[in-house]
Amino acid sequence: MTQAPFAPLASGPLAGLDLLRISISGPVVHLRLMRPEKRNAISDPLIRQIHTAFVNLPAGTRAAVISGEGEHFCAGLDLSELAERDAGDGLLHSRMWHAAFDQIQFGTVPVVAALHGAVVGGGLELASACHVRVAARSTYYGLPEGQRGLFVGGGGSVRIPRLIGVARMTDMMLTGRVYDAEEGQAAGLSQYLVDDGEALGRAMELAQRIAGNAPLSNYAVMHALPRIADQSQADGLLTESLMAAVAESTDDAKNRMRAFLEKRAGKVARS
Ligand code: 1HE
């Protein structure tokens, strides 16, 4: 699939964010972490900029891609900022990360992560807040918090077990076990495994495809699906029915179904 070239954003609330490079290709916004000299470690300014970016995605955005500049996706928390933090500061700091990553998971559009190199600590927490993960073969995953005397604070304890289970996360945190890209794919950390240099392109293709869905269907997948997973069966079934009824009532849904019945829409096909 040929991609339209990305255009940098010249103005607007996102243009001044110096730790992210944000560009737009039709309905897809690409956000690139831009601290390669620190392996894209997430400092306070960077976490704030991630929050600002996802709150202020340009009108017309239907999907987003996040990637990291340089050799690694993200080295996690910027450890140089940790030294003098007391318990109260630590609580607020963690909540700031939660706000930013909630804005990714429960924001307006699905987000695809293009992973390579280190995806560790808070970097794995960031990746796990995204909706789809594409990993290059160079990717490796770790949770070195245990070795650093820390605990996860960016939503990892909630999101990562939902991808790989509590037992695997416990092992990673207790023993410092690092998963390579193949192991991460088998465990459920990534949904797509591609050759080095291809993760961003594949992520873009997927984002363009996602952007072609009905926005309300995407919204239901982002917002209803994880909540239904947290509900009892009875509550989940009712939530599902309500969400389904809303989604299928839209003109968008009716037009899409009519297009299929009139043989104007694509069939389900293996990709
Ligand atoms: C950093 C950080 C960082 C690199 N904070 N400065 N995360 C970690 O425990 C991971 C720590 N980082 C590493 O293990 C390695 O840096 C990597 C495996 C990611 C990459 O290795 P490499 O050889 O490519 O780079 P490097 O030489 O180790 O690092 C280059 C520079 O980035 C160097 O700084 P310089 O001034 O000496 O050039 C490093 O100090 C710096 N750097 N990673 C600060 N993380 C919400 S709670 C989340 C809790 C966590 O995320 S804990 C896990 C933290």
Side-chain angles (χ1 to χ4, degrees), residues 17-22 31-41 46 49 67-70 73:
L17 304 183
D18 60 333
L19 301 174
L20 293 171
R21 191 163 77 208
I22 301 177
L31 304 96
R32 191 189 293 259
L33 307 177
M34 289 300 289
R35 292 190 81 207
E37 71 288 354
K38 295 293 178 189
R39 307 315 183 241
N40 297 317
L46 179 51
Q49 291 192 18
S67 68
E69 177 71 6
F73 175 71

Side-chain angles (χ1 to χ4, degrees), residues 72-77 115-128 138-148 152 156 160 164 168-181 183-184 189:
H72 303 281
F73 175 71
C74 178
L77 174 69
L115 307 176
H116 73 294
V119 181
V120 300
L124 181 50
E125 296 183 283
L126 168 59
S128 67
S138 64
T139 305
Y140 57 97
Y141 308 91
L143 290 169
E145 283 84 346
Q147 285 71 52
R148 309 275 183 239
V152 283
I160 297 168
I164 62 173
R168 285 198 186 91
M169 180 165 174
T170 302
D171 179 26
M172 290 175 80
M173 291 199 72
L174 290 181
T175 70
R177 180 173 180 166
V178 170
Y179 278 39
D180 67 21
E183 290 169 327
L189 286 170

Side-chain angles (χ1 to χ4, degrees), residues 45-113:
L46 179 51
I47 197 74
R48 288 198 189 93
Q49 291 192 18
I50 291 171
H51 184 256
T52 300
F54 280 96
V55 168
N56 292 286
L57 290 174
T61 304
R62 292 287 189 86
V65 170
I66 188 159
S67 68
E69 177 71 6
E71 296 300 304
H72 303 281
F73 175 71
C74 178
L77 174 69
D78 188 323
L79 295 167
S80 68
E81 289 185 343
L82 205 63
E84 301 302 329
R85 204 174 275 151
D86 68 16
D89 292 340
L91 173 65
L92 295 178
H93 178 265
S94 170
R95 297 300 287 163
M96 181 168 72
W97 279 54
H98 290 171
F101 292 175
D102 269 7
Q103 195 57 41
I104 295 176
Q105 184 178 4
F106 298 119
T108 52
V109 300
V111 182
V112 182

Side-chain angles (χ1 to χ4, degrees), residues 199-225:
L200 183 57
R202 178 66 69 85
M204 269 302 300
E205 278 178 26
L206 294 168
Q208 293 284 357
R209 204 182 298 172
I210 290 167
N213 295 338
L216 199 56
S217 293
N218 283 346
Y219 187 90
V221 172
M222 292 169 63
H223 289 261
L225 205 51

